[in-house]
Amino acid sequence: MPHQININKKTIEKNSFQITLINERVDDDAVQKEKIMMFAKFDGAHWKVKEIRKNWKCENGRGGSTEWGINECP
């Protein structure tokens, strides 16, 4: 089955953005979805990444959270 990836951009303030990538077809049978959030700023000439956060949703019955969380799936 092909990977399904969704990408969204949200403006935080002028020239600052939150870019969110959600992978709905993870190659790990314990993980239902993974989310990567990148906070970046454009200074007019260059992009600067300020922070990157990762979250996961575990498959039901695998011992991890089925809601978004910061703990990797077991």
Side-chain angles (χ1 to χ4, degrees):
M1 190 172 275
H3 291 277
Q4 183 172 343
I5 295 175
N6 297 304
I7 300 172
N8 294 299
K9 179 182 81 171
K10 176 182 172 185
T11 302
I12 304 295
E13 57 186 37
K14 185 179 179 187
N15 296 328
S16 292
F17 302 92
Q18 174 184 329
I19 299 102
T20 303
L21 178 145
I22 297 177
N23 180 3
E24 297 185 3
R25 301 261 192 244
V26 182
D27 290 333
D28 183 334
D29 62 351
V31 180
Q32 181 185 51
K33 296 179 184 183
E34 72 177 332
K35 176 169 44 175
I36 301 168
M37 293 178 290
M38 179 173 60
F39 297 86
K41 185 169 185 152
F42 186 65
D43 68 8
H46 301 93
W47 284 95
K48 197 175 264 191
V49 175
K50 298 292 188 181
E51 182 179 1
I52 295 176
R53 299 179 190 167
K54 285 184 87 170
N55 287 235
W56 296 269
K57 276 189 179 184
C58 300
E59 285 290 350
N60 205 5
R62 294 297 301 229
S65 176
T66 56
E67 298 299 319
W68 289 115
I70 59 171
N71 297 321
E72 293 186 41
C73 301

